[in-house]
Amino acid sequence: MSEDIYREMILDHYRNPRNKGKIEEPDIRINDSNPLCGDEISIDLKVEDEIIKDIKFDGRGCAISQASASMLTEMVSNKPLTTIKEITKDDILENIGLTNLGPARIKCALLSLKVLKLGMVKYYVDKDPSSADEMKDQSKVF
Amino acid sequence: MQALLDVYKIRQDFPILNRKLNDGKRLVYLDNAATTQKPKEVIDSISRYYSEYNSNIHRAVYQIAEEATQEYENTREKIRKFINARYPEEIIFTRNTTESINLVAYTWGNSNIKKGNKVILTEYEHHSNIVPWQTLCHNKGAKVKYLEVDDDGYISLEDLEVLISQKGGGKTKMIALSEMSNVLGTIFPAREIIKLAHEKEIPVLLDGAQSVPHMKTDVQQTDCDFLAFSAHKMLGPTGVGVLYVKKEILEDMKPFILGGDMIKEVHKENTIFNDLPYRFEGGTPNIADVIGFSAAIDYLNRIGMENVREHEHKMTTYLLDKIQNIKSTTIYGPKNAKDRGGLVSFNMEGIHPHDCATILNDYGVAIRSGHHCAQVLMEKLDIVASSRASIYIYNTNEEIDILIEALNHARRIFDI
Ligand SMILES: Cc1ncc(COP(=O)(O)O)c(C=O)c1O
């Protein structure tokens, strides 16, 4: 039932998103959208010594995609950039407390992780173009 | 309540409407603009083809092949009558509206649209009636221009005239527009638009994906040059579309899909193409589903398209009224149900359409949420998505009441 989905935690992050906005002169800026519903997420990162010093997200979309993005920014803030590699689909679904979403809505929940992983890959590939092959699979979420 | 059309009797013809969903709720299907449900007659006629006379058409001389060919060609004739075309050879079977429009862009468009020319579309077009033209014009160095829709979901003929004669804009070679918007619901004045276009010798393609299923179509009356529509949006199976083209235009069109069935003779160095309309139906067509479509047309003819329209008009009036009364709700398109087909798109402030649709699903209510393949219009409306409820002959006011109850529940969950 949808009461199980739209619990207070999700609605709170949806109404009062954490780390929402843009960073001036970010080290990484990346965005993507979900073709199914047009949800958009963009993420800005400030990275120092491979640590995520600042993270902001922006976007338009449903409660699940926006709340999930908000929670994700809290999850990785001040963590090493490489932790992004370790985050799995299940981590996100557990973190937002929605482990039995249908296939269509799972895409909403995972959009921000997809964008974040794309950003990380871009960061490493920009620094070292020869790592492109090795990084190619790192942005996969599904 | 329904004098013209006995909805409760009609409902019994649709097996899916008896289906219970996971939690025992019954299905309230309000996504008819995406695809409609199928009556048992249609399902049975497909199964009858496979179990009684399955064979390839137009070639073999044995009994079942002749039966199949006859059923297939009877469908063509039925469609000719349904849209009041002059000749059966003006009816081409495709896979869907999208393929029908692509056929025109690839063949007629490729031969007729040149560098510097202009194709006029509207801002409310479905992606199927944008992308083929955009790509063609891109390749040719031609331009696509969009006729504006106003805040109430209407277009103006004066604007169209300005767009056609715009200085330096190039010669207009085609006007392609949907007769009914799949988001705004607006029914556009096809006859007037076509009259204006023809005065300036511009051909018009009508995307009839939303209009043909819901109101009487008469291609001789509107005088459109091309008309595209899909069987699956009018009780028929998926995988069958129709392209109507005026015979004098069709005669000069180059074929699209090349290969078997569309030829008369093939030699090592050259090919003589088949007569109309076979020239445009390369390869073995979707025989079973064309035959299924025939049963769908019979069904609609029995009800009468005027009655379909009347039923939808009554229900749309009811639906508009109910949704308007929900607080903080924006409805897109005309306020007057007379100018609309049977769909209403809306947004509730503070609830994304996707969340709305998820909550509605608890009530068994199926509506569409998203951009409805009309992102150019979404940009114009400055939204990323909307919710859309769309009705057909088997929907009832009680179902609208369930929708409204579910929408109010969504508002309670989101506390708005
Ligand atoms: C106005 C309009 N045009 C074109 C289409 C495309 O139809 P199909 O997917 O059957 O090709 C649709 C259906 O969604 C539509 O509503």
Side-chain angles (χ1 to χ4, degrees), chain B residues 108-316:
Chain B
W108 184 91
N110 200 31
S111 311
N112 289 282
I113 290 172
K114 309 245 149 52
K115 194 174 159 125
N117 289 163
K118 177 164 74 185
V119 170
I120 295 180
L121 311 174
T122 77
E123 289 178 326
Y124 63 80
E125 292 316 308
H126 189 281
H127 294 164
S128 318
N129 197 28
I130 295 179
V131 187
W133 301 113
Q134 209 176 47
T135 304
L136 174 74
C137 289
H138 193 80
N139 292 340
K140 293 273 183 172
K143 285 198 201 86
V144 177
K145 291 281 174 190
Y146 295 88
L147 180 61
E148 266 196 63
V149 268
D150 69 19
D151 292 345
D152 293 321
Y154 296 96
I155 54 173
S156 109
L157 288 177
E158 289 80 53
D159 286 357
L160 179 59
E161 222 167 335
V162 170
L163 209 51
I164 291 171
S165 52
Q166 216 167 41
K167 287 220 164 43
K171 185 170 163 45
T172 305
K173 279 298 185 68
M174 164 64 88
I175 297 174
L177 82 168
S178 172
E179 196 175 7
M180 176 184 145
S181 161
N182 68 322
V183 180
L184 302 168
T186 323
I187 297 168
F188 295 95
R191 177 72 208 107
E192 283 73 38
I193 293 167
I194 292 165
K195 209 164 144 219
L196 174 73
H198 284 178
E199 277 164 17
K200 300 178 191 290
E201 295 179 353
I202 304 165
V204 176
L205 176 141
L206 284 186
D207 172 349
Q210 295 298 339
S211 56
V212 176
H214 302 281
M215 53 204 232
K216 192 160 174 46
T217 301
D218 184 335
V219 292
Q220 294 190 56
Q221 192 264 332
T222 58
D223 202 26
C224 61
D225 302 282
F226 305 88
L227 173 71
F229 57 100
S230 297
H232 71 91
K233 291 186 199 284
M234 46 195 296
L235 308 180
T238 53
V240 178
V242 170
L243 173 65
Y244 157 84
V245 185
K246 259 188 203 158
K247 196 171 170 191
E248 54 269 34
I249 298 176
L250 199 56
E251 275 166 348
D252 287 336
M253 267 167 59
K254 297 221 170 73
F256 178 37
I257 301 290
L258 311 175
D261 250 17
M262 51 79 64
I263 53 90
K264 213 174 242 173
E265 291 173 31
V266 177
H267 309 285
K268 272 190 177 165
E269 304 299 337
N270 72 308
T271 292
I272 300 170
F273 297 127
N274 205 339
D275 296 333
L276 297 178
Y278 312 110
R279 195 194 302 166
F280 293 96
E281 294 177 3
T284 300
N286 187 350
I287 305 164
D289 293 314
V290 165
I291 290 170
F293 190 22
S294 177
I297 300 275
D298 288 343
Y299 196 98
L300 287 173
N301 279 336
R302 262 203 324 273
I303 292 178
M305 291 309 289
E306 284 90 353
N307 295 336
V308 172
R309 173 85 187 112
E310 182 58 29
H311 167 71
E312 290 186 11
H313 173 63
K314 274 192 197 152
M315 276 198 70
T316 307

Side-chain angles (χ1 to χ4, degrees), chain A residues 1-3 5-6 11 14-15 34-40 60-64 104-105 108, chain B residues 23 25 350-352 354-356 358-359 362 369-371 375 382-385 409 413-415:
Chain A
M1 290 299 276
S2 45
E3 272 87 349
I5 297 178
Y6 298 103
L11 293 178
Y14 178 53
R15 294 197 190 101
N34 179 350
L36 179 79
C37 52
D39 285 2
E40 303 161 345
R60 301 206 274 187
C62 64
I64 295 177
R105 301 311 306 274
C108 305
Chain B
D23 48 6
K25 293 234 158 51
I351 311 182
H352 188 280
H354 244 63
D355 297 316
C356 179
T358 296
I359 294 169
D362 288 352
S369 58
H371 54 58
Q375 284 185 312
D382 195 26
I383 52 177
V384 284
H409 184 62
I413 288 185
F414 274 76
D415 200 17

Side-chain angles (χ1 to χ4, degrees), chain A residues 127-141:
Chain A
K127 253 178 49 177
D128 174 13
S130 72
S131 69
D133 264 2
E134 176 199 334
M135 296 300 296
K136 208 171 57 199
D137 289 338
Q138 292 291 342
S139 60
K140 291 218 176 91
V141 175

Side-chain angles (χ1 to χ4, degrees), chain A residues 10-132:
Chain A
I10 300 262
L11 293 178
D12 177 42
H13 275 268
Y14 178 53
R15 294 197 190 101
N16 313 297
R18 327 293 197 260
N19 303 309
K20 182 141 188 201
K22 300 265 182 219
I23 296 176
E24 263 180 50
E25 296 183 29
D27 296 307
I28 306 172
R29 169 166 290 170
I30 190 105
N31 68 291
D32 200 10
S33 61
N34 179 350
L36 179 79
C37 52
D39 285 2
E40 303 161 345
I41 298 273
S42 80
I43 294 182
D44 287 358
L45 292 163
K46 200 86 194 157
V47 180
E48 268 169 43
D49 299 327
E50 306 266 309
I51 304 283
I52 299 169
K53 277 294 173 200
D54 195 7
I55 177 165
K56 288 220 172 348
F57 85 98
D58 209 353
R60 301 206 274 187
C62 64
I64 295 177
S65 76
Q66 303 301 304
S68 161
S70 168
M71 285 185 233
L72 181 64
T73 61
E74 289 191 318
M75 197 170 161
V76 299
S77 188
N78 289 310
K79 297 268 166 50
L81 196 58
T82 50
T83 43
I84 297 173
K85 273 191 204 173
E86 317 299 326
I87 304 172
T88 65
K89 162 183 160 182
D90 293 337
D91 293 338
I92 296 291
L93 297 178
E94 265 165 43
N95 190 38
I96 62 174
L98 299 176
T99 45
N100 53 1
L101 278 181
R105 301 311 306 274
I106 277 190
K107 291 212 168 70
C108 305
L110 297 181
L111 178 61
S112 51
L113 179 62
K114 185 175 164 214
V115 174
L116 190 60
K117 290 201 181 227
L118 282 171
M120 176 200 64
V121 168
K122 185 167 177 288
Y123 179 79
Y124 284 117
V125 173
D126 283 353
K127 253 178 49 177
D128 174 13
S130 72
S131 69

